[in-house]
């Protein structure tokens, strides 16, 4: 079986574009050497946390999805929005200019990676029936909430097993974001295992 992989890369081009943009707007942005130093730290965190590719393999096991390609995660200092999954961009400094913590980094990268396993219907067309099911079952919820129910279900399982401090951070982190908060509450209320089973049961065979 093909093994899914994540490759972390510092994107000097994207990072420099953000640095110029922030400077034009009078906003603080860490210098390149500071970003490089934090990038090195984050890569060590990920290497240790994902030793033997155990986290990626666990996500694949839980979802039944194997990515047909390596995921490149582009690291930058800061951005105008938050980290994102497609393309996978990881910001390693917070808006207040402090470096991201280990527990924050672990939660964020696993969150974004899960999106690529469960939400990339172009590369994983077998998942399309699940999303039709979700749109109907949760039709009274926002699209963002719908898109995050399965993500949080898998996140609860991964962090609950491998890094509970990161899991414990989620409620506080999403308190100001009602769509994310509702998705997390649904994943907890309906139980992560049950949500994941629905995902598996609604894939094309």
């Amino acid at each position: 079986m093909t093994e899914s992989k994540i490759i972390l890369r510092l994107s000097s081009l994207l990072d420099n574009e953000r640095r110029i943009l922030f400077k034009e707007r009078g906003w603080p942005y860490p210098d390149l050497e500071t970003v490089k130093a934090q990038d090195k730290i984050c890569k060590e965190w990920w290497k240790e946390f994902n030793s033997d590719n155990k986290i990626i393999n666990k996500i694949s096991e839980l979802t039944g999805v194997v990515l047909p390609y390596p995921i490149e995660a582009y690291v930058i200092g800061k951005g105008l929005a938050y980290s994102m999954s497609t393309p996978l961009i990881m910001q390693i400094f917070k808006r207040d200019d402090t470096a991201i913590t280990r527990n924050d980094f672990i939660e964020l990268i696993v969150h974004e990676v899960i999106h690529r396993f469960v939400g990339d219907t172009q590369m994983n067309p077998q998942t399309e029936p699940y999303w039709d099911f979700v749109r109907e079952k949760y039709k009274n919820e926002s699209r963002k909430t719908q898109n995050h129910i399965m993500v949080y279900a898998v996140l609860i399982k991964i962090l609950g097993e491998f890094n509970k401090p990161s899991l414990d951070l989620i409620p506080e982190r999403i308190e100001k974001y009602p769509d994310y908060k509702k998705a997390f509450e649904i994943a907890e209320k309906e139980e992560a295992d049950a949500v994941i089973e629905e995902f598996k049961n609604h894939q094309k065979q």
Side-chain angles (χ1 to χ4, degrees):
M1 182 177 76
T2 304
E3 187 176 63
S4 305
K5 293 184 181 296
I6 305 297
I7 303 168
L8 278 171
R9 299 188 190 280
L10 173 60
S11 176
S12 297
L13 177 62
L14 289 175
D15 180 66
N16 193 51
E17 285 179 350
R18 298 302 191 280
R19 185 173 291 105
I20 292 170
L21 179 59
F22 273 57
K23 184 177 180 180
E24 289 173 347
R25 299 188 179 190
W27 299 340
Y29 196 99
D31 61 48
L32 180 57
E33 291 307 311
T34 302
V35 172
K36 284 182 175 179
Q38 185 61 25
D39 169 64
K40 184 177 180 179
I41 291 169
C42 289
K43 285 174 178 172
E44 286 299 317
W45 287 339
W46 179 244
K47 181 180 179 181
E48 177 271 326
F49 184 65
N50 189 46
S51 60
D52 297 321
N53 212 37
K54 67 178 183 288
I55 302 302
I56 300 305
N57 289 339
K58 186 67 175 182
I59 295 172
S60 187
E61 175 191 326
L62 287 169
T63 62
V65 174
V66 178
L67 298 181
Y69 55 91
I71 298 176
E72 291 193 332
Y74 299 104
V75 176
I76 63 173
K78 295 164 68 175
L80 296 176
Y82 293 97
S83 296
M84 59 191 296
S85 59
T86 308
L88 207 168
I89 298 178
M90 289 296 304
Q91 301 178 41
I92 56 176
F93 284 84
K94 300 180 182 180
R95 293 188 174 186
D96 64 4
D97 228 25
T98 58
I100 195 169
T101 66
R102 181 185 184 279
N103 287 330
D104 283 334
F105 177 77
I106 294 300
E107 190 269 324
L108 286 170
I109 192 169
V110 175
H111 178 128
E112 301 304 343
V113 167
I114 293 168
H115 273 296
R116 297 296 291 270
F117 274 83
V118 305
D120 190 345
T121 56
Q122 183 176 0
M123 295 304 297
N124 301 299
Q126 74 272 21
T127 65
E128 288 178 359
Y130 169 76
W131 292 106
D132 292 337
F133 164 77
V134 165
R135 303 300 179 221
E136 178 59 29
K137 180 176 180 179
Y138 302 104
K139 60 186 176 184
N140 294 326
E141 305 296 344
S142 71
R143 191 87 166 190
K144 188 170 287 186
T145 293
Q146 294 172 2
N147 290 348
H148 280 86
I149 295 168
M150 177 59 179
V151 170
Y152 279 124
V154 178
L155 200 56
I156 287 168
K157 295 290 290 182
I158 294 291
L159 298 183
E161 180 175 350
F162 296 103
N163 198 57
K164 194 163 186 305
S166 289
L167 178 60
D168 293 339
L169 287 172
I170 294 177
E172 181 180 354
R173 186 199 303 284
I174 63 178
E175 179 62 33
K176 296 180 181 178
Y177 305 99
D179 295 326
Y180 293 94
K181 183 179 179 181
K182 187 60 181 291
F184 186 72
E185 289 172 349
I186 291 172
E188 283 195 310
K189 181 180 178 180
E190 299 191 7
E191 298 189 358
D193 287 325
V195 173
I196 291 168
E197 195 62 27
E198 283 185 334
F199 176 79
K200 287 184 172 180
N201 289 340
H202 288 85
Q203 290 188 43
K204 293 177 184 176
Q205 300 301 316

